Amino acid sequence: MYLILPLALVIVFLAVAGFVWAARKGQFDDLDTPAMRALHEEPGERPSDERK
Amino acid sequence: MNIAIDAQGAPAPGPVSCAHCGLEVPAGLVEVGAERQFCCTGCRTAYAILHEHGLGQYYAFGEKRDVPVRPTGKKYEEFDHEAFHALYVKPLKGGLCATELYLEGVHCSSCVWLVERVPLLLSGVVRAELDIRRARAHLEWDPAVVSLSAIAQQLDQLGYAPHPYRGVAAEEIRRKEDRAMLMRIGISGALAGNIMLLALAQYAGWFSGIEAEYERYFRIISLLLTIPSLFGPGWLFFQGAIASVRTRRLHIDLPIAIALFAGFTRGAINTFTGSGPIYFDAVGTLVFLLLSGRFLQNRGQRAAADAAELLGSLAPAAARVVDEQGERRVPVEALLPGMVMNVRAGETFAADGDVAEGRSAADCSLLTGEPRPEPVEVGTRVYAGTVNLTGPLLVKITQAGEMSRLGALLRRMEESARRRAPVVQLANSIAGWFVAVVLVLAVVTYVYGLQNDPARALDNAIALLVVTCPCALGLATPLAITVGIGRAAKGGILIKGGDAIEALNHPGLILLDKTGTVTEGRVRLVRWEGADSAKPLVAALERESSHPIAIAVQQAWPVVEVLEAQDVIQTIGGGIEGTVSGHRVVVGAPTFVARKTGAEDHAPDVRIEAFAEEGLTPVWVAVDGVIVARAGFGDPMREDAIASVKRLRALGWRVALLSGDHPAVVRATAQRLGLDLADAMGGASPEDKLKRVEEARTHGTVAMVGDGVNDAAAIAAATVGVGVHGGAEASMSAADVYLSRPGLGPLVELVEGARRTMLVIRNNIIFSIAYNILGATLALLGVLDPLIAAVLMPMSSLSVVFASWRGRSFDPTPAVPPRPLLSPRPEPAS
């Protein structure tokens, strides 16, 4: 018990740290457009490659 | 294939659709035998670009633009200028540059697809990302390889005219604030969740027993988790409380801070002494829920401010001023009346002014919503934000910056954006006496407890403070508003802020624009009194114009022989004249025709009145100086207009018509709608409309409903400005609400939905007060265990959340694809 609880809290801490990092990087700034982009991306479809 | 060819190889009848935008190609533009048809050069160019670079996948998207591509044709040279770079471009590592551009006309996922791919086709462009909600594109490029103007031109060719994003600095600040708030919510949520888990263990222990050492252990850990919650995310409330005390103005942060402090301190003491209740779970949850409520509240006020900035982006940053020393660039802030500026073809006017030299046409759609180019010559007044189309002009500035028409519009919008939702202010003002009542009650509880059960007295008082925390109050209102706005948006009603909802609950005066709002905005030829021989002459003349009357003529007589008209001159607000087959033909308003021909019309007024009584706009036709025909053009009323007006009046609103159209026509329309004749005002100029709104505001709530053609200022000045489907960019920014579905039906939905939302809010406030009374009573009686407090509080918040979620505010039934705050450029009248 004295081990498990602090261990669980460490995991929580890591999760929160990940969240804070993502927020700082601006990943939560725009929640609408990435949803649209998910429909677009297709493998090997980058137009800049085709032109070369 | 989109061209139908019959056996002989001639185009078979049937609508031909544009290969790019899918709209119908006008009969005159169909190219016989061509494999693909386009409705305009814009679409043709866009199609070519996409196919040349293998982006044909665009056409597979279900959601595409359904408006033809209308490039402005601007060269965007100013984007390469040093002054522009100093203001709007950020240098990056590796010699790259970055900027944010506001793009007109983006509204769906295929636009995102295009904007994020096409610029990359230009070598030198490193990154292109679109934020569709704010219509902003983030671009990174290598200035040594490609210029920003080239990128801008390409975006323009696709129909996404770019503008520098003005509010970059303010945006940075807001972005940081948003992120900070989000982090606070995330951290406090994680902490609150874990504290609750530990509390769960302890409550279980209450009932079935728990070993002392574990209980102590859990209490200490709970304390350790509460500390960062209070001193990190929760510190906001302490700051607010301190400020409230310092300025001696009671703010809702004060009771919150008191509750948090009392709960924490008492809990900490009890943890070290080993006995007595702890309140850490309540405190942790409080911090999380209240922060969420505040976040929602702030987000709601964003949209209005955003729109004001968007509009600001649409005016240019500098002008080319001409004086004795030659020509130099002067930033817009430094422009003064009396200066002369040189405006080339394709450039936007930087200030209001009178044309001193030159002849051209201007695109005034930004301000008036008229997509037709207006002829411009010496003496014509031009306005900041409109575009000079065909020829270079020298313009003497009359008003610049804030004093220009656009500037005044912006100012009004910013003022209204700063208005906070009164219902939020209500919650804040309740805090005032709430604090007093709670503190008094706490003292009473303590004293009462001392008499009955002294050991528990302090605990009872603290329990009271914790349970009467205005958590639900802080969450109730913003949540109901956010849910209401979200629902309304699904139904095509875009509301910018809670104050619009609140204002619509105080019935006052609704001013309706006529053309395009009450009527369909389509003009039809209804009555023709005169010789049929005049028809071909009129048709030939009207073919040279794209005025709605001209369109109506073309639609009325499609199979008339084609004649050529020469020396065609169009006069705004008057009519059109020219020479056809050797005859001098004049078509226009009766006064215009009389002036041009000097002809006497016997009993003219009677005919005008007769037409007007039927709601028809009179147009006279004169050939070689003799009036040969009188035509009546009508604009059919929308089907739901009469029923909608009746419903609005039943809801307590006074409805009036305010229109620039002929007064007699407006009176006739008012009569058909069942309105008081005193409430029908015709012949109103934009300034008249503004005045009417301003004087009505002194008597109560004023809602102005229009499509932006000449009523943008009135819409901005009204208590609630409502922009209607198909309106101009400028007035849509100025409006508090935008109805993206045609007709007056959405207006009725808006008013009714606003009423129901306020009902939900009121119920929420009553709920939370009831819970507080219940909790306070229990605390007073000494019956309030921390368990009960911990249960009551989330329950009150959850019931508020539930009521907001399931409450009937707006009906989301008509499923309309969402439209952005600003609509795409209006299409030409053809």
Side-chain angles (χ1 to χ4, degrees):
Chain A
M1 180 58 73
Y2 290 103
L3 178 62
I4 268 191
L5 206 53
L7 207 59
L9 289 180
V10 164
I11 293 177
V12 168
F13 177 76
L14 289 176
V16 169
F19 171 77
V20 167
W21 173 83
R24 277 238 176 85
K25 279 258 164 160
Q27 293 191 15
F28 295 110
D29 287 347
D30 178 9
L31 298 173
D32 305 299
T33 322
M36 291 178 172
R37 285 200 204 110
L39 299 173
H40 298 165
E41 216 64 65
E42 244 149 80
E45 181 252 85
R46 296 253 98 199
S48 39
D49 297 331
E50 288 175 23
R51 280 212 24 242
K52 317 270 155 72
Chain B
M1 274 305 118
N2 46 24
I3 184 167
I5 302 185
D6 65 14
Q8 277 81 26
V16 172
S17 46
C18 175
H20 183 74
C21 69
L23 287 182
E24 192 177 324
V25 178
L29 292 180
V30 175
E31 274 176 51
V32 179
E35 199 184 323
R36 271 173 253 287
Q37 302 294 334
F38 300 98
C39 65
C40 56
T41 343
C43 283
R44 183 189 298 272
T45 317
Y47 188 87
I49 293 178
L50 292 184
H51 266 79
E52 195 187 317
H53 298 291
L55 294 176
Q57 197 194 350
Y58 171 75
Y59 298 104
F61 284 113
E63 257 186 297
K64 304 194 295 161
R65 66 181 307 131
D66 52 3
V67 164
V69 171
R70 288 188 65 226
T72 63
K74 286 159 70 166
K75 293 285 170 274
Y76 298 104
E77 292 161 342
E78 68 266 20
F79 280 22
D80 298 325
H81 204 267
E82 281 169 10
F84 186 94
H85 279 239
L87 283 173
Y88 303 115
V89 176
K90 220 171 45 168
L92 298 175
K93 286 199 294 271
L96 299 178
C97 289
T99 190
E100 301 242 334
L101 295 178
Y102 163 63
L103 298 183
E104 290 181 43
V106 286
H107 64 291
C108 66
S109 61
S110 51
C111 298
V112 173
W113 192 84
L114 269 186
V115 170
E116 296 190 341
R117 272 168 189 68
V118 171
L120 293 174
L121 300 171
L122 294 171
S123 58
V125 178
V126 173
R127 200 170 142 200
E129 258 173 36
L130 179 66
D131 177 339
I132 188 131
R133 224 199 203 170
R134 296 182 194 95
R136 273 212 301 276
H138 178 86
L139 295 168
E140 288 177 16
W141 74 100
D142 184 350
V145 180
V146 69
S147 67
L148 186 56
S149 57
I151 306 175
Q153 278 173 37
Q154 194 185 47
L155 285 170
D156 184 270
Q157 279 183 314
L158 289 172
Y160 306 122
H163 302 273
Y165 183 61
R166 275 296 155 67
V168 174
E171 173 66 16
E172 272 305 302
I173 295 174
R174 269 209 307 251
R175 207 177 292 184
K176 288 210 172 70
E177 272 177 14
D178 270 350
R179 284 188 196 159
M181 201 55 173
L182 206 57
M183 286 192 279
R184 278 196 199 102
I185 293 177
I187 293 174
S188 64
L191 288 170
N194 284 285
I195 295 173
M196 293 261 262
L197 285 175
L198 288 170
L200 203 64
Q202 290 172 71
Y203 289 133
W206 249 28
F207 290 114
S208 57
I210 183 173
E211 288 176 29
E213 58 163 333
Y214 284 137
E215 183 166 10
R216 194 181 157 74
Y217 183 48
F218 290 158
R219 284 160 80 110
I220 292 178
I221 303 272
S222 301
L223 171 65
L224 290 179
L225 286 177
T226 311
I227 291 176
S229 181
L230 279 184
F231 289 99
W235 192 247
L236 199 64
F237 299 112
F238 291 110
Q239 281 175 331
I242 293 173
S244 169
V245 166
R246 241 198 236 140
T247 59
R248 294 186 204 292
R249 293 195 58 178
L250 292 171
H251 187 262
I252 208 168
D253 279 349
L254 193 52
I256 294 174
I258 292 176
L260 292 177
F261 181 72
F264 172 73
T265 319
R266 185 61 180 167
I269 294 175
N270 286 355
T271 306
F272 289 122
T273 60
S275 71
I278 58 169
Y279 300 98
F280 299 133
D281 50 351
V283 165
T285 319
L286 252 175
V287 172
F288 172 61
L289 288 176
L290 286 167
L291 283 175
S292 307
R294 193 145 302 191
F295 182 65
L296 284 179
Q297 202 172 304
N298 288 347
R299 268 244 308 241
Q301 278 149 359
R302 271 318 154 60
D306 268 346
E309 278 182 12
L310 247 37
L311 197 56
S313 309
L314 299 174
R320 244 182 259 104
V321 170
V322 180
D323 56 19
E324 309 84 39
Q325 291 120 354
E327 206 178 270
R328 58 200 166 90
R329 288 193 81 87
V330 175
V332 126
E333 290 78 12
L335 290 175
L336 295 169
M339 286 184 179
V340 176
M341 57 182 183
N342 179 359
V343 185
R344 297 199 191 133
E347 290 185 343
T348 310
F349 293 103
D352 294 354
D354 295 319
V355 176
E357 208 179 288
R359 217 184 163 157
S360 177
D363 174 3
C364 301
S365 56
L366 180 74
L367 283 180
T368 66
E370 295 283 2
R372 303 173 261 117
E374 312 262 328
V376 163
E377 49 185 19
V378 174
T380 317
R381 174 66 59 91
V382 291
Y383 297 100
T386 61
V387 181
N388 182 18
L389 292 172
T390 54
L393 294 173
L394 280 181
V395 177
K396 187 160 178 174
I397 298 178
T398 52
Q399 306 276 32
E402 278 191 359
M403 307 301 295
S404 67
R405 224 169 118 185
L406 185 64
L409 189 60
L410 275 175
R411 232 177 336 141
R412 237 179 239 107
M413 283 170 58
E414 277 165 4
E415 276 166 19
S416 69
R418 260 182 268 129
R419 275 190 311 215
R420 306 193 134 226
V423 80
V424 171
Q425 285 172 345
L426 175 71
N428 282 347
S429 68
I430 284 181
W433 56 260
F434 188 85
V435 165
V437 167
V438 162
L439 286 178
V440 163
L441 275 182
V443 169
V444 165
T445 311
Y446 185 63
V447 166
Y448 185 71
L450 278 182
Q451 293 176 337
N452 288 5
D453 187 357
R456 300 268 326 242
L458 187 60
D459 278 327
N460 289 346
I462 290 180
L464 180 109
L465 285 174
V466 169
V467 84
T468 55
C469 191
C471 179
L473 214 61
L475 203 54
T477 310
L479 190 64
I481 288 182
T482 307
V483 170
I485 290 182
R487 282 238 186 88
K490 283 213 180 80
I493 302 174
L494 304 179
I495 305 176
K496 268 194 224 152
D499 57 340
I501 294 184
E502 214 278 341
L504 286 171
N505 268 277
H506 300 291
L509 175 65
I510 296 185
L511 291 168
L512 296 174
D513 182 30
K514 186 181 86 67
T515 316
T517 310
V518 171
T519 65
E520 307 218 2
R522 277 181 308 130
V523 178
R524 270 188 321 127
L525 172 62
V526 177
R527 194 65 86 66
W528 173 267
E529 295 171 356
D532 277 347
S533 57
K535 287 187 187 173
L537 301 174
V538 174
L541 203 56
E542 298 287 6
R543 188 165 293 117
E544 303 298 320
S545 161
S546 51
H547 193 277
I549 299 249
I551 306 295
V553 166
Q554 289 165 25
Q555 283 173 349
W557 311 318
V559 282
V560 172
E561 47 178 300
V562 179
L563 294 174
E564 273 291 317
Q566 275 107 18
D567 305 324
V568 176
I569 304 174
Q570 202 173 199
T571 309
I572 302 175
I576 189 172
E577 56 186 320
T579 311
V580 183
S581 303
H583 299 288
R584 184 81 197 146
V585 185
V586 180
V587 178
T591 41
F592 174 76
V593 171
R595 216 177 48 229
K596 289 283 170 181
T597 63
E600 279 291 325
D601 188 22
H602 305 291
D605 295 322
V606 174
R607 295 312 301 152
I608 294 179
E609 277 302 319
F611 271 20
E613 240 157 76
E614 296 178 52
L616 299 176
T617 306
V619 170
W620 279 191
V621 177
V623 174
D624 296 327
V626 176
I627 293 182
V628 298
R630 295 189 198 89
F633 288 82
D635 185 1
M637 195 178 296
R638 291 190 190 269
E639 289 163 5
D640 56 2
I642 300 180
S644 301
V645 168
K646 211 158 114 184
R647 182 84 188 107
L648 288 171
R649 294 178 91 190
L651 287 169
W653 291 86
R654 194 171 131 219
V655 181
L657 272 186
L658 187 58
S659 168
D661 210 343
H662 196 284
V665 177
V666 176
R667 274 203 299 275
T669 315
Q671 225 164 12
R672 283 183 62 194
L673 289 172
L675 302 177
D676 241 349
L677 282 184
D679 282 335
M681 179 170 166
S685 69
E687 284 70 31
D688 289 334
K689 291 186 183 180
L690 177 61
K691 234 175 34 186
R692 178 91 170 87
V693 168
E694 283 175 340
E695 62 187 53
R697 270 198 81 161
T698 57
H699 300 303
T701 318
V702 178
M704 171 79 203
V705 183
D707 65 355
V709 182
N710 299 320
D711 49 24
I715 287 179
T719 322
V720 180
V722 181
V724 162
H725 174 76
E729 196 99 41
S731 73
M732 295 313 103
S733 313
D736 299 300
V737 180
Y738 173 62
L739 304 175
S740 65
R741 273 160 37 220
L744 286 180
L747 182 64
V748 176
E749 279 173 40
L750 170 68
V751 172
E752 289 185 330
R755 266 187 53 209
R756 287 200 294 262
T757 308
M758 278 307 286
L759 216 64
V760 171
I761 291 177
R762 212 166 300 149
N763 286 346
N764 283 348
I765 292 184
I766 291 176
F767 265 158
S768 48
I769 290 181
Y771 269 116
N772 278 332
I773 292 178
L774 176 66
T777 317
L778 290 180
L780 202 68
L781 296 176
V783 187
L784 195 68
D785 290 320
L787 175 59
I788 300 184
V791 164
L792 265 186
M793 260 189 17
M795 247 178 69
S796 72
S797 308
L798 280 175
S799 65
V800 158
V801 168
F802 190 74
S804 299
W805 220 263
R806 304 305 297 166
R808 276 196 74 214
S809 49
F810 285 86
D811 276 321
T813 17
V816 173
R819 297 245 162 205
L821 221 51
L822 294 174
S823 47
R825 278 183 161 247
E827 24 180 311
S830 57

